Amino acid sequence: MKALDDADRRILNRLRLDARITNSALAAEVGLSPSACLRRVKLLEASGVIRGYTAIVSIAGPDEGTVAIVEIELERQTEEYLARFEAALRRHPEIQEWYLMTGNGDYVLRVQIAGIDDYGEFHRDVLSRLPGVSRITSSFAMRSHRRR
C-alpha cells in the first residue's frame, strides 16, 4: 500500500461523515474527477484502508434499550485466548462492538440490552461464561452523542 496523500485523506474524511454519498458528489467535494475519485476509493478498499461500510443505528428513546460499556480482563493474552474470546463474542448479537485495549482491561465491549433489569441475566448467562474471563466491570450509558 502506498502512503496516503491529501486526496486520499479528503476522501476518507468525507466517507467517515457519509459513506452513502454518491461518487460524483464525493468527487466534487474532494476536488477530483469522478473517474479518478472512484479509482482511488477502489484502491483504498482493495488495500484494506477501507475495510467496509456500516449503518450506525441510533437508540431513539428509553423503549429502545440500554447500552452497557463493559471492561473485560482475561486470564491471559495469548493469541489463542484472544481468538477464542473474540469468536465467542461474535455469537452474541447484544455485543455490538468490542475493542482490544491497552491499559488495565483487555477488552471494552458495547452491549445493547433491553433494559438494566436484563443486564443481570446477560452478565450471569453470557459475560461470565465467556472463555478466559477473569474480571468484568460494567458501566451504563446515560446519554449518547455521535459526531456528525
Side-chain angles (χ1 to χ4, degrees):
M1 163 76 204
K2 68 175 180 68
L4 298 179
D5 63 14
D6 287 340
D8 292 331
R9 285 198 251 336
R10 287 193 310 269
I11 289 169
L12 293 171
N13 286 335
R14 186 57 185 96
L15 287 174
R16 281 187 188 112
L17 296 173
D18 180 8
R20 295 184 64 184
I21 188 171
T22 65
N23 182 62
S24 59
L26 177 61
E29 287 192 31
V30 300
L32 295 171
S33 70
S35 61
C37 184
L38 183 60
R39 180 179 52 78
R40 284 177 176 264
V41 169
K42 294 295 182 193
L43 286 171
L44 290 166
E45 291 170 345
S47 67
V49 172
I50 296 175
R51 296 187 319 206
Y53 300 89
T54 188
I56 299 171
V57 180
S58 113
I59 300 171
D63 295 340
E64 299 294 326
T66 299
V67 174
I69 304 300
V70 181
E71 184 178 292
I72 302 282
E73 290 181 34
L74 299 178
E75 296 166 350
R76 296 180 169 188
Q77 291 109 15
T78 65
E79 281 302 315
E80 177 190 344
Y81 267 70
L82 299 178
R84 282 189 358 199
F85 181 75
E86 289 188 15
L89 294 178
R90 287 184 185 89
R91 291 192 290 270
H92 302 283
E94 300 90 349
I95 303 171
Q96 300 285 301
E97 57 187 318
W98 58 87
Y99 301 91
L100 178 60
M101 304 296 290
T102 62
N104 293 333
D106 296 309
Y107 281 88
V108 170
L109 319 177
R110 184 173 62 84
V111 178
Q112 180 76 42
I113 51 176
I116 199 160
D117 294 337
D118 299 305
Y119 184 73
E121 183 178 323
F122 185 78
H123 185 285
R124 182 190 67 232
D125 296 343
V126 176
L127 295 176
S128 65
R129 294 181 182 183
L130 291 169
V133 170
S134 66
R135 184 178 179 89
I136 301 168
T137 306
S138 306
S139 301
F140 296 92
M142 294 173 45
R143 185 180 339 204
S144 173
H145 296 277
R146 194 171 305 278
R147 184 187 320 224
R148 292 206 166 213

